Amino acid sequence: MPEALLDSIQNLYIMKIKNKKMKLKIYVMVFLLAVISCAKAQESSSSKDRTKTVLLINAHLTYKGLSEGTLNKSFYEEAKKFFISAGYHILETKISDGYDVDKEVEKHMLADIIVLQTPVNWESTPWIYKKYVDDVFTSAMFSKKFLNGDGRSAQDPSRQYGTGGNMQGKKFMLCATWNAPEESFNDPSQLVFKGKSADDALFNVAVNYTFVGYEVLAGYHCYDIFHNKHIKEDLKKYPAHLRKVLTL
């Protein structure tokens, strides 16, 4: 019980309240405050102690002789190992193996954080990931699990587009492998990305999660994968990035 409540109870003995009804009311009020305070403390403790859940999504699509998925699998497994060591409950989806839409919606509802592992094919994710999002998010839109409309309201014109999400408190992060070299980003003189960061270039991927209420974390990117001599180092640095963005 908080010290302030104990002080209040002690003060009742010091105060010379002759009116018995008044004294009884004060006792009841202090008792109720104590019950509420203890309940909140237990709720907070339970929330901290609850095992968190991560959903790992592998969006790789195999192209024989070009993209076999080994590198993306390595990053995926590195993330899985990290979350296991951090005590998370692990949910997994490999899109190319097929999926049940209702189960994927439920996985999103259960997960505290979504980590998408994807190659960048023609400056975006493989098409199977777009189909996955269309299937899962559309189902969750109709069921109103992910969101209730787009947030706008005729009764409140100040409500912004994209504020109708129900997934506040959850987080999304992507890890991407690129053919593009790192120097092609964050430089306005570069022809393709014109000063954009890698996260900016994949804005269309993360914004779906923003739209339904997720906090989007800084992504992790492995560049120039066909010529990169530092891939092993990039893999080793990945857990440190996860630890940083998740403040673990």
Side-chain angles (χ1 to χ4, degrees):
M1 187 182 297
E3 291 183 4
L5 290 174
L6 288 173
D7 290 342
S8 297
I9 294 172
Q10 290 173 353
N11 287 338
L12 289 176
Y13 289 99
I14 298 172
M15 293 169 59
K16 295 181 179 180
I17 302 176
K18 295 181 179 180
N19 189 316
K20 291 183 179 180
K21 288 185 178 180
M22 178 62 71
K23 185 180 290 187
L24 179 61
K25 285 182 179 179
I26 293 174
Y27 271 118
V28 170
M29 182 178 68
V30 171
F31 174 76
L32 290 175
L33 286 172
V35 170
I36 293 171
S37 177
C38 289
K40 286 185 176 180
Q42 288 179 348
E43 182 181 349
S44 176
S45 176
S46 176
S47 177
K48 290 179 181 178
D49 295 339
R50 181 179 66 85
T51 299
K52 290 190 175 182
T53 299
V54 60
L55 170 58
L56 302 173
I57 302 174
N58 188 340
H60 184 267
L61 178 63
T62 298
Y63 288 93
K64 293 292 184 182
L66 175 65
S67 179
E68 301 288 346
T70 304
L71 181 57
N72 277 272
K73 183 178 180 181
S74 296
F75 277 102
Y76 181 95
E77 292 297 332
E78 195 66 40
K80 183 177 178 180
K81 185 168 62 176
F82 170 84
F83 282 107
I84 289 174
S85 67
Y88 278 66
H89 175 61
I90 311 294
L91 300 174
E92 300 182 75
T93 295
K94 185 178 180 182
I95 297 175
S96 62
D97 286 345
Y99 53 87
D100 178 278
V101 172
D102 291 338
K103 288 182 180 178
E104 294 306 308
V105 171
E106 188 59 26
K107 286 179 185 179
H108 277 74
M109 299 302 295
L110 292 171
D112 298 286
I113 178 170
I114 312 293
V115 177
L116 171 66
Q117 179 61 50
T118 184
V120 178
N121 295 353
W122 295 105
E123 317 311 339
S124 189
T125 61
W127 66 267
I128 57 171
Y129 178 69
K130 179 61 169 72
K131 182 180 184 300
Y132 173 86
V133 169
D134 285 349
D135 290 342
V136 175
F137 279 59
T138 301
S139 174
M141 176 185 69
F142 282 121
S143 66
K144 295 186 177 181
K145 289 185 175 181
F146 284 12
L147 70 165
N148 289 299
D150 65 19
R152 291 175 292 177
S153 169
Q155 290 73 37
D156 183 2
S158 67
R159 288 284 301 275
Q160 292 185 18
Y161 176 72
T163 57
N166 298 329
M167 308 297 269
Q168 288 79 10
K170 296 177 180 287
K171 299 176 181 180
F172 170 81
M173 195 203 88
L174 62 81
C175 177
T177 57
W178 297 78
N179 175 49
E182 186 172 5
E183 59 266 25
S184 65
F185 298 96
N186 302 302
D187 181 353
S189 70
Q190 288 286 322
L191 177 65
V192 176
F193 298 112
K194 301 182 185 301
K196 291 181 179 178
S197 68
D199 278 347
D200 291 337
L202 293 176
F203 167 81
N204 63 306
V205 177
V207 73
N208 296 307
Y209 285 90
T210 301
F211 192 79
V212 298
Y214 283 78
E215 175 189 355
V216 175
L217 305 176
Y220 191 75
H221 302 274
C222 181
Y223 305 98
D224 202 12
I225 59 172
F226 295 108
H227 306 96
N228 188 350
K229 298 178 181 179
H230 306 289
I231 287 178
K232 289 184 178 180
E233 188 177 336
D234 290 342
L235 277 166
K236 287 182 180 179
K237 290 179 179 178
Y238 187 25
H241 175 83
L242 289 168
R243 194 172 296 109
K244 179 181 178 181
V245 297
L246 293 169
T247 61
L248 295 179

